[in-house]
Amino acid sequence: MPIEKGKLIDMYRTMIRIRTFEERVAKEFSAGKIPGGAHLYIGEEAVATSACANLRPDDYITSTHRGHGHLIAKGGKTDRMMAELYGKKTGYNKGKGGSMHIADMAIGSLGANGIVGAGITIAGGAALSAQMRGTDQIVICFFGDGASDTTRFHEGVNMASHWKLPVVYVIENNMYAMSTGTRNTRNIDNLSDRAVAYGIPGAAIDGNDVLAVYKAVGEAVARARQGEGPTLIECKTYRWYGHSVMDRGTYRTKEEIAEWKKKDPIARFRKKLIEMGVLAEKEADEINQEINEETEKAVQFAEESPLPAPEEALEDVFA
Ligand SMILES: Cc1ncc(C[n+]2csc(CCOP(=O)(O)OP(=O)(O)O)c2C)c(N)n1
Ligand SMILES: [Mg+2]
């Protein structure tokens, strides 16, 4: 089914929003404004954007340590995100969580997570809850190539398969887990082949192709919603920058990075939308401008917001 024009433009806007937000995060981190750190998603924007474009507001996502893109794609607000990264009281976690802990139950975002692979079992729990409550909500579970080697992957996918839970597993294979290259640590070309072991469908796709991701995830979402169980989709992509903003990236060659930048998901989608007659160059530039202004406002909001008070430190904790 063709995707309507407004939706295509929204997807383009979301990708620009993710990239612009993160470019600013990198800049403000270098300026000493953001404590802790952050893991940038730049280069992988097509995955979260097109996957989430298949969801309803009441569906869920689970995210990772590299979570800004997922949250933005599910409808997260960049001003509250930026405030959280700045450690300000107006942030998503009242300034007490930072980049790796942002969650927003109101939009079904069950949280970024510093524990690699932890979202896989959380997704299973959320999907089981939807199944038991008899809703047709589904969960998209994002995780990396590295996470696909953890026990949580094997336990979580097996159980979800057996119980036919409404989950779509999206592996973001960005070719590295910290400094470990995917190709140096596995004997299979496609991580999605692991689906066979759990008796569910699996597919490996070009994760920098917006429309390919949209279609593959769309089919898996429909399957999950109809009660037919999970699917494993591997999106092959690349992170343009270091593992985190503190990584100098000495384990990759300049040539490899340049090669992947030629496959820039945003530039490709922009070209495609212009060819399809969905956007004119000028309209695409206007979207960039609009998002630049929005991001500037988000930074201003973070700058001007107060820090949490010391006596609030023990609020919102379990013990
Ligand atoms: C359980 C656990 N083991 C190890 C780490 C340290 N660690 C943080 S990110 C990461 C690599 C994750 O790689 P991948 O799943 O491919 O995600 P990517 O960073 O590439 O998006 C590791 C090993 C951790 N945070 N949690
Ligand atoms: Mg990875």
Side-chain angles (χ1 to χ4, degrees):
M1 205 168 68
I3 312 170
E4 60 155 320
K5 186 177 161 179
K7 182 154 201 153
L8 290 168
I9 296 174
D10 278 349
M11 284 159 76
Y12 182 72
R13 184 180 285 107
T14 299
M15 291 171 79
I16 299 289
R17 183 173 283 132
I18 296 170
R19 184 163 298 182
T20 310
F21 176 81
E22 289 213 319
E23 283 169 347
R24 200 57 194 263
V25 167
K27 185 166 168 236
E28 299 307 332
F29 177 80
S30 300
K33 295 286 178 63
I34 294 177
H39 303 80
L40 302 183
Y41 194 66
I42 294 176
E44 307 183 31
E45 296 92 342
V47 181
T49 302
S50 336
C52 288
N54 285 290
L55 293 183
R56 299 193 314 227
D58 66 334
D59 288 325
Y60 301 109
I61 61 164
T62 61
S63 176
T64 67
H65 54 286
R66 199 175 301 289
H68 305 149
H70 308 141
L71 185 70
I72 291 174
K74 190 69 171 69
K77 296 284 172 254
T78 50
D79 52 358
R80 291 185 68 199
M81 290 173 70
M82 194 62 90
E84 186 56 39
L85 267 69
Y86 268 65
K88 298 295 184 77
K89 196 181 160 95
T90 52
Y92 267 108
N93 304 63
K94 303 184 188 173
K96 294 187 275 188
S99 170
M100 280 192 282
H101 299 97
I102 302 179
D104 187 1
M105 299 303 161
I107 57 169
S109 173
L110 303 181
N113 207 310
I115 302 170
V116 169
I120 299 171
T121 38
I122 294 172
L128 178 62
S129 147
Q131 192 186 61
M132 289 174 78
R133 285 180 289 118
T135 74
D136 65 349
Q137 291 163 291
I138 70 114
V139 188
I140 290 186
C141 174
F142 294 103
F143 55 96
D145 42 288
S148 78
D149 282 344
T150 66
T151 54
R152 284 170 289 280
F153 171 80
H154 300 287
E155 293 162 0
V157 178
N158 182 59
M159 183 138 277
S161 155
H162 187 60
W163 286 350
K164 284 196 175 339
L165 298 181
V167 191
V168 179
Y169 296 105
V170 175
I171 306 181
E172 301 178 315
N173 182 359
N174 59 10
M175 309 295 157
Y176 288 88
M178 299 187 91
S179 57
T180 303
T182 309
R183 65 183 174 279
N184 303 330
T185 47
R186 287 144 186 113
N187 287 345
I188 51 174
D189 289 331
N190 294 324
L191 298 173
S192 59
D193 288 352
R194 292 177 172 174
V196 176
Y198 305 108
I200 61 172
I205 54 169
D206 176 355
N208 284 10
D209 180 339
V210 174
L211 301 180
V213 178
Y214 181 79
K215 184 169 180 287
V217 175
E219 286 164 9
V221 164
R223 202 179 115 76
R225 228 185 271 295
Q226 284 155 21
E228 291 166 30
T231 304
L232 180 67
I233 296 170
E234 174 189 4
C235 297
K236 293 186 194 288
T237 182
Y238 197 76
R239 63 165 158 75
W240 284 14
Y241 297 105
H243 170 69
S244 78
V245 282
M246 286 171 293
D247 172 16
R248 288 170 46 223
T250 47
Y251 49 88
R252 307 193 297 188
T253 62
K254 285 198 184 74
E255 291 73 26
E256 181 184 289
I257 298 170
E259 222 22 69
W260 274 96
K261 283 192 175 175
K262 285 190 205 149
K263 300 182 226 173
D264 178 359
I266 296 187
R268 273 169 74 183
F269 193 41
R270 178 182 166 121
K271 188 163 171 274
K272 177 117 200 157
L273 290 180
I274 290 168
E275 276 167 15
M276 287 164 77
V278 170
L279 269 184
E281 293 275 1
K282 187 169 165 284
E283 289 166 320
D285 291 342
E286 281 164 6
I287 292 175
N288 286 50
Q289 189 48 36
E290 173 203 323
I291 299 297
N292 281 340
E293 285 162 21
E294 180 189 290
T295 311
E296 192 58 50
K297 283 194 191 130
V299 173
Q300 206 179 336
F301 176 74
E303 293 269 1
E304 289 169 1
S305 293
L307 286 164
E311 53 274 21
E312 290 164 34
L314 296 181
E315 285 174 15
D316 308 309
V317 292
F318 288 111

